[in-house]
Amino acid sequence: MFEQLGLIGCGLMGGSFALALKKAGLVKRVVGYSKSPSTTERARQMGVIDVEAPSALLAVSGADLVLLAVPVAATEATFKAIRHLVTPNTLVMDVGSTKREVIDSARRVLRDQVGVFVPAHPITGKELAGVEHADAELYRGRQVILTPIERTLTAQLEKANQVWTALGCHVRQMSPEAHDAAYAAVSHLPHLIAFALMNSIKGQADGDTFLSLAGPGFRDFTRIAASDPSIWRDILISNREELIAQSRHFQRALHALETAIAAGNPDALEALIDGASSARSHWRMTAIKSQA
């Protein structure tokens, strides 16, 4: 049981975390701060937070648990705003989709206190942002990746494991570098492709007509293109080296398909499709098994 959660960023991810903690009986009080006062007020009206803080620093005052639910690009400024009230007993976490840049910010700003920070990435979300869409069940059954560094305190890491596990999450640990490489492939690149596809179609003279004819497959494939632009701008730039590397892998795979089609080579094309189909089927089976 935590005495106080200092919530910095009362949107979808932060608001859902606060609601989940409350539902599980893991926190006595939630003090929240958002850059937009109207967001913080709305969070209080909804019961997501108990007290509105006028600053990030005052949200952290007296907190034994702090969650940074801000865009990755705002992480360093947030650390600077709160560092004077972070104590050796505080557990500080984030929910950012990239880790190396966040950790570099923590090292620069928190310095000797960097051990209280446990970087976290919950693998969940919605296309609809904002506290209005906060959901106490958002994290249940989802993976949460923790990326501790060599200076992360064992006690804080154990607390982080306990918190996420208590919320019904499957907790895994990996290095920040491995995390960013993996999620460039399975999260950031798919978003990049979805954004590019929508822009490609909309940029054509008959784009609106094409879109009017699209069915469920197109809807499912492009769902993530409706994600929050400012959040994904920051994520893609933050992980740009790994993302560009994955984009080049994708371009080579796409070129192989184009070559088989242009040559009218059905055997080569079927082999490429079969390889993709088999990999996708295998992934579904292992994913279900790992979460059983």
Side-chain angles (χ1 to χ4, degrees), residues 157-206:
L157 180 58
E158 181 57 30
K159 286 180 185 177
N161 269 289
Q162 291 173 355
V163 170
W164 291 112
T165 300
L167 297 185
C169 302
H170 306 283
V171 182
R172 297 182 60 180
Q173 289 184 33
M174 58 197 311
S175 72
E177 294 77 16
H179 169 279
D180 285 1
Y183 282 94
V186 300
S187 176
H188 307 161
L189 179 63
H191 279 80
L192 184 70
I193 293 169
F195 298 145
L197 176 60
M198 292 303 301
N199 286 340
S200 171
I201 296 173
K202 287 292 291 182
Q204 299 178 47
D206 293 325

Side-chain angles (χ1 to χ4, degrees), residues 7 31-37 40 49 51-61:
L7 179 62
V31 178
Y33 168 76
S34 282
K35 187 176 180 181
S36 168
T40 317
I49 65 175
V51 178
E52 300 175 48
S55 68
L57 182 64
L58 290 178
V60 172
S61 179

